[in-house]
Amino acid sequence: MATAHIKKQPTRAPKGWSKERTRTKTAKLLAELDDLQNLLFAQSKHAVLIVIQGMDASGKDGLIRNVLGKLNPQGVWVRPFKAPTPEELSHDFLWRVHQYVPPKGVIQVFNRSHYEDVLVTRVHGWCGDKLAMERMKAINDFEELLVKHNHTHILKFYLHISPEEQQQRLQERIRDPKKQWKYNERDFEEAKLWDLYMKMYQDCFTNCNKIPWHIIPADQNWYKEYLVAKALHDLLTSLRMQYPGLKK
């Protein structure tokens, strides 16, 4: 959750962490999150935006399903961001994102996000360094706008997977019939650009850190899910929300 170099960040749980005990803790957090999310929805004074970034096969979909999918779908919205459409490209790069920011009372999840416009675009040379730095400034202003003017609380997660674990998961998409629908041959080509992606992510962590990043070790799903559930639980608890009384 800092600007320390990504290569120095762990991708696995600390030695000695128990998988079973951690899963028990996660289950307890999820039960409490169910109540906290209901309270957030009822009070409707705060909004929550969860940004999830990560390399291919880092487990973004599984995280959303196993943590946020346990909550009431009326108050948890998910928006994936893929390659922009021609209409989206005809606007400024934040246009397609701003439409999906959460109203008060709602947890909005971005599966990938506005950060793709300073990540994949730079890796492939579609966005130069000067434009990228201008976009990062715009991202900081955009996030500050949400925080200051709509009581939006932003959690930014980077799911930090190792190259070895990524390769193993990509191979599973070929072998496992239940995962073959996820297979995309381009993922293997993107994986070859690992070092360049890490450089671009590092720039994001350094230049877009007014709202800090949570660097989540993602090689073990049980540990990743615990950390994200705990971060959301800590945030919602800190809001000290109360149910509104009878309307007069």
Side-chain angles (χ1 to χ4, degrees):
M1 190 175 125
T3 57
H5 201 285
I6 188 62
K7 289 185 177 179
K8 297 180 180 179
Q9 299 297 316
T11 61
R12 300 181 67 83
K15 272 191 173 180
W17 272 72
S18 165
K19 181 177 181 178
E20 292 309 312
R21 284 200 295 270
T22 302
R23 280 181 164 170
T24 299
K25 290 179 181 178
T26 302
K28 183 174 184 294
L29 287 170
L30 292 179
E32 293 175 4
L33 276 172
D34 188 46
D35 290 333
L36 286 165
Q37 183 265 325
N38 189 55
L39 183 53
L40 177 81
F41 189 80
Q43 191 183 50
S44 290
K45 286 187 177 180
H46 304 273
V48 176
L49 173 60
I50 297 176
V51 172
I52 301 177
Q53 288 286 153
M55 295 292 283
D56 294 320
S58 58
K60 297 180 288 293
D61 292 341
L63 172 68
I64 292 169
R65 180 178 63 251
N66 294 331
V67 175
L68 298 153
K70 305 298 183 183
L71 305 179
N72 187 334
Q74 291 186 99
V76 181
W77 303 349
V78 179
R79 177 68 187 180
F81 287 97
K82 301 185 184 296
T85 65
E87 181 187 14
E88 290 168 343
L89 285 171
S90 71
H91 293 272
D92 68 272
F93 81 101
L94 288 171
W95 178 81
R96 68 173 184 156
V97 177
H98 207 156
Q99 302 176 72
Y100 296 102
V101 298
K104 293 182 180 70
V106 168
I107 298 173
Q108 173 72 66
V109 184
F110 284 176
N111 185 347
R112 300 190 188 271
S113 68
H114 40 296
Y115 284 98
E116 291 296 299
D117 288 288
V118 290
L119 288 165
V120 65
T121 54
R122 295 184 74 194
V123 168
H124 289 281
W126 306 326
C127 173
D129 290 346
K130 182 175 183 294
L131 177 58
M133 293 303 152
E134 291 172 355
R135 285 183 172 182
M136 288 184 197
K137 181 181 182 303
I139 286 172
N140 286 332
D141 292 342
F142 169 65
E143 292 177 351
E144 185 177 23
L145 171 71
L146 299 181
V147 170
K148 287 188 174 180
H149 295 279
N150 201 52
H151 297 285
T152 302
H153 305 267
I154 304 175
L155 290 172
K156 300 192 296 192
F157 298 110
Y158 169 69
L159 307 186
H160 188 32
I161 191 175
S162 66
E164 298 77 16
E165 181 67 22
Q166 185 198 41
Q167 284 299 315
Q168 182 177 325
R169 293 182 185 181
L170 291 178
Q171 291 295 334
E172 284 177 358
R173 294 180 178 181
I174 297 175
R175 298 191 304 268
D176 187 343
K178 292 182 179 179
K179 297 182 179 180
Q180 286 174 349
W181 64 275
K182 291 185 176 182
Y183 173 74
N184 186 333
E185 62 181 349
R186 291 197 304 273
D187 292 345
F188 288 92
E189 294 303 312
E190 291 295 295
K192 295 176 183 177
L193 303 172
W194 185 276
D195 289 340
L196 190 51
Y197 268 105
M198 292 303 102
K199 182 178 184 300
M200 300 313 169
Y201 266 111
Q202 189 63 47
D203 278 352
C204 288
F205 302 149
T206 301
N207 295 298
C208 297
N209 200 35
K210 289 183 178 180
I211 295 168
W213 284 89
H214 296 251
I215 310 299
I216 303 294
D219 279 4
Q220 298 153 297
N221 290 330
W222 56 269
Y223 187 56
K224 170 187 68 183
E225 291 164 7
Y226 165 73
L227 292 178
V228 171
K230 186 176 186 305
L232 179 57
H233 184 278
D234 288 349
L235 168 63
L236 294 181
T237 302
S238 74
L239 299 181
R240 301 184 181 279
M241 298 176 290
Q242 295 181 343
Y243 282 105
L246 292 173
K247 294 180 180 178
K248 296 180 180 179

